[in-house]
Amino acid sequence: MREFSDFLRHNYGYVAIATFKPGKFPEAQRLFEEAVKTYTKGFKGAYLLQKPNTDEGIAVILWEKLEDMEENQNETHEKILEKMKHLFASPPETNFYELSTEIKP
């Protein structure tokens, strides 16, 4: 049974907004999926959104705690991110957000 304090805890989201070089979104998507598969502790889900007919995207990765994201950084993850660097048209804008509302169907 969940404790009352569990309902007061909020998940966190890492959000990256990026534009990729022309035609590079599919490769970035493949590498994103590869990186996400390495996540374990505290990982709550991931979404990759693409603006139709563009190479613009938004990645959202949900974590139980911010520290969980840091704990999931490892050599494999870093190698995948290194492969992704050359795909960006400009550095992505990144930030962390606290999940304040969650509505499920």
Side-chain angles (χ1 to χ4, degrees), residues 13 21-23 37 45-46 58 64-65 69 72 74-75 82 84 95:
K21 292 177 182 173
K37 288 178 185 177
I58 301 172
E64 193 171 304
K65 300 181 295 191
M69 184 177 139
N72 279 276
N74 58 44
E75 188 176 329
E82 188 64 35
M84 193 180 281
N95 223 319

Side-chain angles (χ1 to χ4, degrees), residues 15 30 40 42 44-45 49-50 52 68 71-72 77 83 104:
V15 178
R30 182 184 61 74
T40 55
K44 303 301 255 178
L49 308 171
Q50 181 180 14
D68 293 332
E71 288 185 35
N72 279 276
H77 181 264
K83 290 181 195 177
K104 295 182 180 183

Side-chain angles (χ1 to χ4, degrees), residues 2-19:
R2 292 175 66 176
E3 297 290 327
F4 178 72
S5 61
D6 291 341
F7 293 101
L8 300 177
R9 246 183 268 158
H10 295 277
N11 291 327
Y12 291 86
Y14 168 80
V15 178
I17 301 171
T19 300

